[in-house]
Each structure stands twice: as C-alpha cells, then as structure tokens.
C-alpha cells in the first residue's frame, strides 16, 4: 500500500516512512521532543495517503549555533581592533623617537613636467639669438603655476591621438600634414675647426701639422656641425657658454661628430658597422668625397710619437741624464745629481728658434686591465687622440693609466709578463700607450701611510686614493706641466680641444679675490644674472652673512636645532680665504711651506688683480664645496692628520675629472710620501690646494636639467649651504640624503639624464621614446642635434650593427 503513495519516500531509522516533499520541521522549541504526528491530524481517505507532519530525527540547533558563532566573530574583531590600535601607537612612537624611519615622500622635483625640446632635430634649426628657449623662461618662479600647467598639459596629451600627432612643432607641417618646404631641406653643415682661431702667438714656437700617415698625408676630416640649434632648445640651467667664449650657435648631430671616428660606415671599410640604420640624410658629407678611415690600420702610439718628434722644438724635453735607476733596480745610480737634472728641465724656456716654449699637457685616461672596450668607447678615444693630440701638434699627449687588480700577477717580474699584461689591457689600436700600476705598488711607494679602513675600504684602494698613481706618474714624467685626469665614462657632444682651451684660458684669468667663495657655489644665470653680478652677490653674502640654516641642522653644534635661523649670531659674516689655510692640528705641518705663494697685499687693498694671468693649479667641473657639517658620507675620510680637536680645512669636488698642475701633483706626492697625509680621492687635491694657497678654480660649464624646475627653487636647493654656498651645512645638496637632486642633470656621478640623452642622440629608443621610427616619421625633424655639453656618466651603450653576411 505504501508503494502507491505519490512522491519519493524512504524508511527512516525509526522505521517510519518519510516523504521528502511533504516533511515539515516541528515548531517546538529546542528543548521539546519532536513528535511524528500531530494530535489534530484528520483521517485520510483510502484514495490518498494520510498527510502527516514528520520531523527529522537529527536536526541543527540553529539558535544556539548562531549565538556562539556571532560571539566568536565579535570577539575576533574586538581583538583585531585592539591589536591594530596598539601597534599603530607603538609604530608612531618609534617614528617620533627616530627608532623607525617612515616611508620617504616623493621628491618634489619628480612632480615637475619634463622638457620636450632636447630632442629637436636638424630640420628645426634656428639661430641662437632667434631661439625662444623652452626653459628657463622666467615664469618658473611660481611653482604652483608650473604644477597646474603640467597637469593641464598631461590632460591634453592624454586626449591626443598619437597616430595624428607626431610630436613635433606644428610650423613644420601644412594643414594636410605634409612637410613644409623649409623642413625638407638637407642641411649641408659647416666644418668646425677651432684651431683657426687658436694660436700661441708669434713669440712662441709654431706647430708642425701632423697626419695619420706622413707618407700619404692622410688625416681625419674636421667635424661637421650645423649652424644654429633646434628651435625651442633649452638653455643650460647652470653654467654658461658665453662665460668661456664657447661657440653656442652650432649643434652636433651624431654623424658629423662621430662619423670621422668609425660611426656610420661598414666594417669592411674599417668602420664599426654601427649607425647604419635610422635617418641618414647628408651623413656622407662629413667625408667631403674622400674615402673613410680604415681604423684597422691605425696605430695611435706610432702616430703620436711621430707627431711628438715633429714638434719637439715646441716643448721641454726630458734630460738624457734622467735615469730612473730605482725603478728597474738597475746597478749604479743616477747619471748626475737629480737636483741638477730637474733644474735643467726647468731652465728650458726657449726653443731652437729662440722663441718661447709651449706648456705640454698629459691626458690621463683611467682604466683597468680587464676593461672591455666596445666600439662606442673607441669613438670616444679616437676623438681624444685626434682633437687633442694630433691636431694640436702634441700640445696634449694621451696616456692610459691601467690598474692591475690581480695582486698576484707579477707584472714587474720580467719583461714578457709586463708586455703581455699591457697588450691584454688595451685594444690593438692603442698598444704602446699604457702604464700599469697596482694597489700593492702604491703601498710600496707610499709606505708608512697609516693603513685605515673607512667604509670597509682600504686606504690604498683605488676608490679612496684615486690620485696616488697619478701623483707617481707625474713624478716620473717631469716633462709635462699639466695633467688632465679623465675617465672612460665621460662624453662630450662638442669638440674636445675647443672645450679644454676655452676653460683653461678662462681659469687663468680668474682673480684670486673671492675665488674660493665663488668656487663653492653653483652659477645659475637665470637667477644670478651676468657673471659680474654673481661675483658681487658672493662678495655680499660672504662679507655680510646670511641666515644660516646650519644653525638648525649643524651636526657638530651643541645647540643645533635650538637657535632660530634669523638670529643675529647665525648671520655672522664668513672669513674670506686669502692665501694658504694651514691645518691647525698638532704635528700637521705641511711639506715645503716656504714654496707656497703668499698674497702680495691685503684682501681689502687688492682690486681683483692677484691671480689674473696665473695658471690654475686645479680646475674642476663641479663646485669645490666645504664638507664640514655636511652629511656627505666621505667627509671624514682623512688619514694621517691630527683630528683630536677637529678636522683640517677641506674642499671637495665630486667627479675626479679635473686638470692638475705639476706643482700640485708634486706637493700631493710629497705630502703622502713624507708627511703620511692623504684624504678621500675627491677631497684630496682641493684640500691640498687650500692648505698651500694654490690657485683652484671651479669652471661652471653648461649643465642641463630634464625637468622644468622653478629656477629660484633650483638655486635655493643647489646653493643651500652656509651663506648661499653649496656646502658647510647639513642642508647641503651634497649631503647623502639630498644628492637625488642631481639625477635629472647632465653632470654628476649618478646622473640619469646623461646616458638617456646620449643614447637618444645616437638614434636609439629610450624609455619607449625616440629611435629610428621617431626620426623618420612623416613630418619629423630628423636626427637630434645637440650643442656642446659634457655628459657623465655614460656606460655600456649597446650599439646596433649592420647585418653580417651569413647571419640568419
């Protein structure tokens, strides 16, 4: 009979029949025992099964579970809130107490908009005097306005269709998008020959012209430049062209600048095979119809030596009596009195024709034995050789100073090992131009210097004592009057001889009065005006003082942070440097103080005359700032001085690229050798110049920046030290936590704008912008054209090469 019931049924554990479709839960409470049947259930007819209100034998105790579950969740939430409040309070206390550093806010300059006209091409050139520079324009003073303009421009750029907007000046296109006639012109370029206006005068011995090959008279063609600059090209934010007399009305594109050195033609003709892609209109004109130079056949040591012999009458010559017998451990001794040998060299003032001799300068390229030279390095080195050495009649002579890092390599044990190491260290083009050195050798030469370890680095290491091998090299080569200390990661878009000649002549004419004070500041023309105005500003800041922020942040001051920066005590004038500034520590006497220059009159009586016409002993491309009280990490790397009552007077110039005189290097050599004194590399020559009263000059060369900084803000950031200088205070831009401000510049040890700009100029895509497609797009301006600018650092440029036969 049960089988006739509709629906799906099964027999429960108690033996009762359960209908799934008809079952009901009991309305009884959780404590009541559920019944199987209702007491008022009516009788069912035989035609249909009786409807009974069944209950499950096992059911979920809903209300009890809900109460417990809610209680548990609430407890967890309360505990979490208590924990978070407690941890937040603890973290805040740690931050306020300085135990934990919070996340750094974004740097203010990262909000400034990028400048866009650095990448202008050769089809948008205008005269410098007609150029309206994109930056600085004089309206950067209002930072808020700059930010609002940047945001508005960003919104506008977001709406632009990149397929319709090629990203160049609209004046170069017509309404239909075609290029105007003037934009299609092929710019033939001009020959850049700075030697035509360069001369030592008739009273000096005249140079003999040199060639790559004296038989065939083959020579490298002069650089090809373009008159003008790309329209809207920014002006340098620091430094100046006009100050030195540098030509700022021409620009250099990659083929005119690097083409003569192997860029842009095939390997089968002796080139690099790089630069074969991209926009090349007019690139072959650099050769003027002549064949390219096959650099596989060039031996620079032979070329340089031949040129030196042809121009020997112009320079001092080492005495034949000079015998470095102690170097190879030869028998006997020097052939004559060493003092007499030195005197004979100094007495050489006239040449065989009775005219004055020209001072000779060594270009010292710092490198190491395992350095991997690529083609882009070769362009740079060939440019140095041709523009500084060959074309000047060896007024400059290039040497490679090569570090051997493997201290177990016995490079002085026998000639075979020495020569093999030299050949392994240099490309074949430059064999015969290197000098080896090692840290172990410096330890031997300058034995007695206290072996200190600063920041886990030894005192004789190349990082802390970069100039030690240069000091010794200068001692071994008395025929040179000056030494340019140069690095492998420097690039210059202009002509090297033009730069070096103008900078050294300007430095020679700088008066000594106020020189050290000017050396310690960045020159920002948009804020400081002409150089004479800047000079007077520095004088006023020094003589009258300014509100000094170091009163709040000076780490050595006992009341640091307690005084107000406008207190009269914090505005005391600074002492002007006039003559040698000696170390005051007991036992810190300098070497040969009687030879140091002394002022001819008092500071007040001098009318900016002392020093004019005097060659600079030290020329740098960054300010010589005072590291005292700054947070520059290496300011206390001082060895051999008595620092019990304070550090000796110091000056630092970041980046060791600089020119040093023979006098300065001899003094550095003797101070290290006999007085056991030395300092960190970038602090050593500037500090020695200060101690001995030598003439040191910061050359404010043109430095560019990649964003639209308000110039008043930029000047305040970069000259944020004592009395408007760049150093002397914790607020200095050279303090470790503030050096990030250099990232967007073209000249600093970790500048990021320099390599990006160089690679874009070479025709490559950087940060997904530029490259072949950008140069050759419809209506484009062509390849980039840059005025002469120093760039550092530029490392590891991966060139694109022509496809070789047989490549897949």
């Amino acid at each position: 009979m049960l089988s006739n019931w509709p629906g799906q049924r099964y027999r429960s554990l108690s033996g009762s029949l359960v209908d799934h479709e008809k079952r009901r839960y009991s309305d009884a409470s959780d404590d009541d025992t559920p019944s199987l049947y209702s007491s008022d259930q009516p009788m069912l007819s035989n035609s249909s099964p009786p409807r009974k209100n069944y209950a499950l034998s096992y059911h979920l105790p809903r209300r009890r579970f809900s109460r417990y579950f809610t209680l548990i969740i609430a407890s967890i939430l309360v505990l979490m809130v208590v924990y978070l409040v407690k941890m937040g309070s603890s973290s805040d206390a740690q931050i306020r107490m300085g135990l934990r550093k919070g996340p750094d806010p974004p740097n203010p300059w990262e909000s400034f908009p990028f400048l866009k006209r650095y990448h202008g091409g050769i089809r948008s050139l205008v005269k410098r005097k007609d150029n309206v520079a994109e930056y600085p324009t004089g309206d950067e003073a209002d930072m808020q306005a700059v930010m609002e303009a940047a945001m508005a421009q960003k919104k506008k750029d977001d709406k632009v269709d990149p397929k319709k907007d090629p990203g160049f000046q609209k004046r170069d296109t017509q309404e239909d998008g075609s290029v105007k006639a003037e934009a299609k012109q092929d710019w033939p370029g001009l020959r850049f020959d700075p030697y035509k206006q360069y001369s030592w005068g008739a009273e000096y011995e005249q140079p003999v012209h040199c060639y790559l090959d004296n038989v065939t008279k083959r020579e490298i063609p002069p650089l090809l430049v373009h008159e003008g600059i790309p329209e809207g090209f920014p002006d340098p934010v620091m430094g100046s062209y006009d100050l030195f007399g540098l030509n700022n009305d021409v620009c250099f594109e990659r083929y005119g600048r690097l083409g003569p050195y192997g860029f842009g033609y095939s390997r089968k003709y002796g080139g690099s095979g790089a630069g074969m892609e991209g926009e090349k209109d007019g690139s072959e004109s650099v050769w003027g119809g002549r064949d390219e130079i096959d650099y596989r056949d060039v031996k620079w040591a032979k070329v340089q030596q031949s040129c030196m012999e042809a121009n020997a009458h112009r320079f001092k010559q080492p005495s034949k009596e000079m015998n470095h017998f102690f170097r190879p451990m030869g028998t006997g001794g020097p052939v004559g009195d060493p003092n007499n040998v030195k005197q004979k060299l100094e007495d050489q003032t006239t040449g065989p024709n009775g005219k004055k001799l020209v001072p000779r300068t060594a270009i010292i390229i710092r490198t190491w034995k395992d350095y991997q030279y690529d083609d882009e390095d070769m362009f740079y080195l060939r440019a140095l050789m041709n523009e500084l050495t060959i074309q000047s009649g060896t007024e400059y002579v290039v040497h490679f100073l090569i570090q051997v890092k493997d201290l177990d390599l016995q490079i002085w044990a026998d000639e075979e090992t020495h020569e093999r190491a030299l050949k392994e260290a240099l490309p074949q083009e430059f064999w015969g131009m290197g000098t080896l050195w090692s840290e172990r050798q410096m330890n031997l030469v300058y034995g007695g210097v206290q072996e200190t370890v600063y920041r886990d680095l030894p005192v004789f290491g190349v990082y802390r004592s970069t100039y030690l091998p240069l000091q010794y090299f200068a001692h071994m080569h008395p025929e040179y009057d000056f030494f340019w200390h140069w690095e492998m990661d420097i690039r210059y878009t202009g002509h090297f001889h033009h730069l070096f000649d103008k900078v050294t002549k300007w430095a020679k004419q700088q008066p000594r009065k106020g020189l050290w004070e000017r050396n310690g500041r960045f020159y920002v023309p948009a804020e400081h005006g002409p150089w004479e105005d800047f000079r007077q500003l520095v004088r006023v800041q020094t003589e009258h003082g300014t509100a000094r922020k170091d009163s709040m942040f000076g780490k050595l001051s006992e009341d640091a942070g307690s005084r107000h920066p406008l207190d009269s005590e914090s505005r005391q004038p600074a002492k002007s440097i006039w003559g040698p500034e000696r170390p005051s520590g007991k036992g810190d006497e300098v070497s040969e103080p009687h030879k140091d220059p002394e002022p001819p009159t008092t500071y007040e009586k001098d009318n900016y005359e002392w020093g004019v016409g005097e060659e600079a002993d030290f020329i740098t491309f960054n300010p010589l700032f005072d590291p005292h009280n700054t947070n520059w990490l290496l300011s206390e790397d001082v060895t051999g001085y008595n620092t019990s009552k304070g550090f000796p007077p110091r000056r630092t110039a970041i980046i060791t690229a600089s020119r040093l005189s023979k006098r300065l290097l001899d003094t550095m050599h003797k101070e290290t050798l006999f007085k056991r004194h030395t300092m960190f590399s970038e602090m050593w020559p500037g500090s020695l110049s200060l101690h001995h009263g030598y003439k040191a000059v910061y050359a404010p060369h043109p430095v560019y920046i990649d964003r639209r900084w308000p110039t008043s803000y930029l000047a305040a950031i970069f000259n944020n030290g004592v009395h408007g200088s760049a150093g002397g205070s914790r607020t200095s831009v050279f303090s470790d936590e503030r050096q990030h401000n250099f990232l967007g510049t073209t000249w600093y040890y970790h500048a990021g704008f320099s390599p990006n700009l160089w690679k874009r100029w070479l025709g490559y895509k950087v940060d997904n912008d530029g490259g072949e497609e950008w140069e050759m797009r419809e209506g484009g301006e062509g390849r980039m054209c840059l005025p002469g600018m120093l760039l550092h650092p530029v490392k590891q440029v991966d060139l694109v090469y022509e496809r070789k036969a047989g490549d897949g």
Side-chain angles (χ1 to χ4, degrees):
M1 183 175 179
L2 291 175
S3 62
N4 295 327
W5 287 13
Q8 191 174 10
R9 297 168 294 177
Y10 71 93
R11 189 173 298 275
S12 68
L13 294 176
S14 61
S16 302
L17 293 174
V18 179
D19 189 335
H20 287 283
E21 297 182 0
K22 304 295 183 179
R23 63 184 178 180
R24 297 284 191 272
Y25 285 109
S26 173
D27 292 333
S29 65
D30 292 339
D31 296 331
D32 296 335
T33 302
S35 60
L36 292 176
Y37 301 98
S38 175
S39 59
D40 58 351
Q41 183 71 29
M43 296 296 293
L44 298 177
S45 64
N46 294 333
S47 61
S48 61
R51 299 183 61 185
K52 297 180 181 180
N53 190 10
Y54 293 102
L56 293 176
S57 299
Y58 295 95
H59 71 280
L60 190 63
R62 294 170 55 197
R63 295 185 181 180
R64 181 184 301 172
F65 174 81
S66 299
R67 283 199 301 267
Y68 292 157
F69 182 77
T70 303
L71 180 61
I72 293 172
I73 295 299
S75 301
I76 292 175
L77 290 176
V78 170
L79 290 174
M80 288 181 62
V81 170
V82 172
Y83 174 79
L84 291 175
V85 170
K86 182 179 179 180
M87 294 305 296
S89 176
S90 175
S91 178
D92 181 66
Q94 290 182 18
I95 291 175
R96 283 187 282 103
M97 295 172 62
L99 300 177
R100 179 182 298 179
K101 186 177 180 181
D104 293 330
N107 299 315
W109 58 266
E110 292 180 298
S111 301
F112 300 152
F114 282 102
L115 300 172
K116 299 183 177 181
R117 290 306 303 160
Y118 283 115
H119 307 131
I122 57 177
R123 296 193 178 94
S124 66
L125 304 184
V126 296
K127 292 282 190 179
R128 169 74 73 168
K129 62 182 179 63
D130 299 327
N131 182 50
V132 179
E134 180 188 17
Y135 173 82
T137 60
D139 60 353
E140 289 85 13
D142 187 353
M143 192 185 309
Q144 184 63 32
V146 172
M147 298 302 300
E148 292 175 357
M151 295 302 296
Q153 183 63 43
K154 184 177 185 303
K155 292 180 180 179
K156 182 179 178 181
D157 292 343
D158 291 341
K159 297 179 181 179
V160 172
D161 183 354
K163 296 182 180 179
K164 296 181 180 180
D165 179 37
F168 68 99
Q169 298 176 19
K170 301 301 182 186
R171 66 177 186 84
D172 287 335
T173 59
Q174 301 177 11
E175 293 182 358
D176 61 356
S178 61
V179 185
K180 287 184 179 180
E182 62 266 27
K184 292 182 179 179
Q185 295 176 1
D186 289 328
W187 295 81
L190 304 170
R191 294 294 177 185
F192 190 78
D193 189 0
Y195 308 103
K196 290 182 179 179
Q197 300 177 348
Y198 167 78
S199 173
W200 281 95
E203 68 273 21
Y204 288 90
E205 295 284 355
Q206 296 302 299
V208 174
H209 191 73
C210 298
Y211 302 91
L212 288 180
D213 188 336
N214 290 327
V215 177
T216 62
K217 304 298 182 184
R218 189 69 194 278
E219 60 182 341
I220 298 174
L223 304 186
L224 194 67
V225 301
H226 295 278
E227 190 173 10
I229 58 174
E231 186 173 16
F233 196 89
D235 289 333
V237 70
M238 293 180 283
S240 169
Y241 290 95
D242 296 333
L243 188 64
F244 303 102
L246 290 167
N247 191 332
N248 66 343
D249 197 26
V250 296
C251 66
F252 300 78
E253 51 82 37
R254 59 180 179 269
Y255 293 106
R257 176 70 183 94
L258 301 179
Y261 305 116
F263 182 78
Y265 61 97
S266 177
R267 291 182 184 274
K268 65 181 179 180
Y269 299 120
S272 64
M276 307 295 287
E277 73 294 334
E279 206 272 342
K280 295 191 64 176
D281 290 349
S283 61
E284 69 284 350
S285 57
V286 68
W287 297 102
R290 293 175 290 183
D291 293 336
E292 296 91 341
I293 301 294
D294 187 346
Y295 282 100
R296 295 170 295 185
D297 299 331
V298 175
K299 300 293 182 285
W300 286 109
K302 181 179 179 180
V303 175
Q304 183 169 255
Q305 183 62 35
S306 176
C307 193
M308 289 173 65
E309 293 172 357
N311 287 276
H313 62 287
R314 302 180 64 207
F315 309 102
K316 294 185 295 184
Q317 298 298 314
S319 172
K320 294 182 179 179
E321 298 180 15
M322 197 77 173
N323 178 15
H324 296 299
F325 69 97
F326 57 88
R327 185 182 184 187
M329 298 183 67
T331 58
V335 187
D337 188 344
N339 293 325
N340 291 338
V341 172
K342 181 178 180 181
Q343 189 62 45
K344 289 180 180 180
L345 192 64
E346 294 176 351
D347 289 342
Q348 297 181 37
T349 57
T350 59
N353 299 317
K355 296 184 178 182
K356 295 181 180 179
L357 296 177
V358 176
R360 175 172 268 170
T361 302
I363 307 294
I364 306 300
I365 308 296
R366 293 297 300 272
T367 182
W368 58 93
K369 181 178 177 296
D370 299 321
Y371 185 89
Q372 299 299 311
Y373 295 84
D374 58 25
D375 286 302
E376 195 266 340
D377 292 321
M378 300 300 286
F379 305 150
Y380 164 63
L381 296 174
R382 291 165 184 165
L384 287 173
M385 284 296 306
N386 180 57
E387 295 163 21
L388 290 174
T389 298
I390 308 306
Q391 297 300 321
S392 71
T394 62
E395 177 188 339
Y396 298 87
V397 178
V398 173
H399 290 269
F400 291 87
L401 198 54
I402 306 164
Q403 181 191 7
V404 178
K405 296 183 179 182
D406 183 1
L407 299 181
D408 294 327
L409 182 61
Q410 301 295 335
I411 53 178
W412 290 284
D414 58 71
E415 288 189 10
E416 182 180 353
T417 304
H418 184 270
E419 291 305 308
R420 183 174 67 252
L422 266 177
K423 289 185 176 181
E424 291 174 352
L426 286 174
Q428 192 169 347
E429 273 187 49
F430 297 99
W431 282 359
M433 297 175 61
T435 299
L436 301 178
W437 72 277
S438 69
E439 293 179 6
R440 180 173 290 173
Q441 179 195 18
M442 293 301 103
N443 197 334
L444 176 65
V445 172
Y446 296 107
V449 173
Q450 180 184 359
E451 180 56 75
T452 59
V453 176
Y454 191 84
R455 297 183 64 84
D456 298 326
L457 295 169
V459 69
F460 289 104
V462 66
Y463 183 70
R464 291 180 59 197
S465 299
T466 304
Y467 285 104
L468 288 187
L470 182 60
Q471 296 170 193
Y472 187 60
F473 183 91
H475 173 70
M476 303 294 287
H477 292 272
E479 68 271 24
Y480 296 114
D481 299 282
F482 302 99
F483 300 79
W484 274 103
H485 185 262
W486 219 233
E487 300 175 7
M488 282 298 300
D489 56 358
I490 296 175
R491 297 294 181 269
Y492 185 55
T493 57
H495 193 285
F496 278 110
H497 191 280
H498 185 56
L499 172 70
F500 283 11
D501 176 56
K502 295 298 184 182
V503 166
T504 54
K505 286 181 177 177
W506 179 83
K508 184 177 180 179
Q509 298 305 314
Q510 292 309 294
R512 286 207 180 223
K513 187 172 184 176
L515 179 60
W516 281 104
E517 290 71 38
R518 295 191 299 275
N519 284 342
R521 290 162 169 81
F522 286 95
Y523 173 45
V524 184
E527 291 297 316
H528 298 144
W531 180 255
E532 181 59 30
D533 291 353
F534 175 68
R535 188 171 76 171
Q536 294 304 324
L537 171 67
V538 175
R539 179 187 64 81
V540 171
Q541 289 177 329
T542 304
E543 295 179 0
H544 298 278
T546 63
R548 295 174 54 179
K549 291 184 178 180
D550 63 324
S551 63
M552 294 188 295
F553 299 101
K555 63 181 179 182
L556 300 181
S557 175
E558 294 182 359
D559 57 353
S562 62
R563 295 201 316 246
H564 192 278
L566 298 182
D567 290 345
S568 59
E569 187 177 353
S570 68
R571 300 197 305 272
Q572 295 300 315
K575 174 181 174 291
S576 298
I577 295 175
W578 191 242
E581 290 283 315
R582 306 291 194 200
S584 58
K586 184 179 180 180
D588 286 344
E589 295 80 11
V590 300
S591 64
E592 301 181 334
H594 60 281
K595 294 184 178 180
D596 293 343
E598 295 291 340
T601 183
T602 64
Y603 181 88
E604 292 73 20
K605 291 182 179 180
D606 180 80
N607 190 26
Y608 294 96
E609 296 173 345
W610 183 36
V612 176
E614 177 189 7
E615 288 282 3
D617 292 284
F618 188 46
I619 301 175
T620 79
F621 289 117
N622 254 339
L624 281 154
F625 72 95
D626 183 359
H628 181 66
N629 273 351
T630 68
N631 195 33
W632 181 54
L633 293 178
L634 298 154
S635 62
E636 297 181 356
D637 186 3
V638 174
T639 301
Y641 288 89
N642 185 348
T643 59
S644 59
K645 295 184 178 180
F647 289 88
R650 292 154 293 156
R651 290 297 183 272
T652 300
I654 304 297
I655 304 178
T656 58
S658 54
R659 193 192 79 159
L660 300 90
S661 69
K662 182 70 164 60
R663 175 172 71 170
L664 175 57
L665 284 169
D666 281 345
T667 301
M668 293 164 63
H669 173 69
K670 292 176 182 178
E671 285 271 349
T672 309
L673 192 65
F674 301 121
K675 298 295 182 179
R676 313 295 198 256
H677 291 162
T678 187
M679 297 184 189
F680 182 75
S681 301
E682 292 165 316
M683 192 160 52
W684 182 226
S687 298
L688 257 291
S689 297
L690 185 66
H691 298 170
H692 289 267
Y694 293 160
K695 186 177 181 181
V697 179
Y698 156 54
H701 64 106
V703 175
Y704 293 84
I705 201 161
D706 65 344
R707 296 175 185 253
R708 189 183 295 276
W709 286 53
T711 52
S712 58
Y713 174 72
L714 181 142
I717 289 295
F718 282 87
N719 290 330
N720 202 25
V722 175
H723 296 312
S725 69
S729 168
R730 178 64 180 265
T731 56
S732 167
V733 71
F734 294 104
S735 290
D736 183 58
E737 67 274 14
R738 294 175 180 264
Q739 293 188 64
H740 62 82
N741 289 285
F742 289 98
L743 288 173
T745 67
T746 52
W747 184 259
Y748 203 59
Y749 81 90
H750 69 336
F753 186 36
S754 301
N756 288 350
L757 191 62
W758 179 259
K759 292 171 186 176
R760 278 291 302 268
W761 180 74
L762 285 173
Y764 297 126
K765 183 176 289 189
V766 177
D767 294 333
N768 207 31
D769 196 10
E772 181 176 4
E773 182 179 355
W774 182 87
E775 291 183 347
M776 302 183 69
R777 70 198 189 283
E778 182 181 358
E781 299 179 21
R783 54 190 179 273
M784 283 173 56
C785 202
L786 296 175
M789 61 173 71
L790 275 170
L791 302 174
H792 182 277
V794 177
K795 304 176 185 287
Q796 191 59 44
V797 179
D798 296 323
L799 301 176
V800 176
Y801 294 94
E802 63 180 337
R803 187 175 181 180
K804 299 179 181 178
D807 289 348

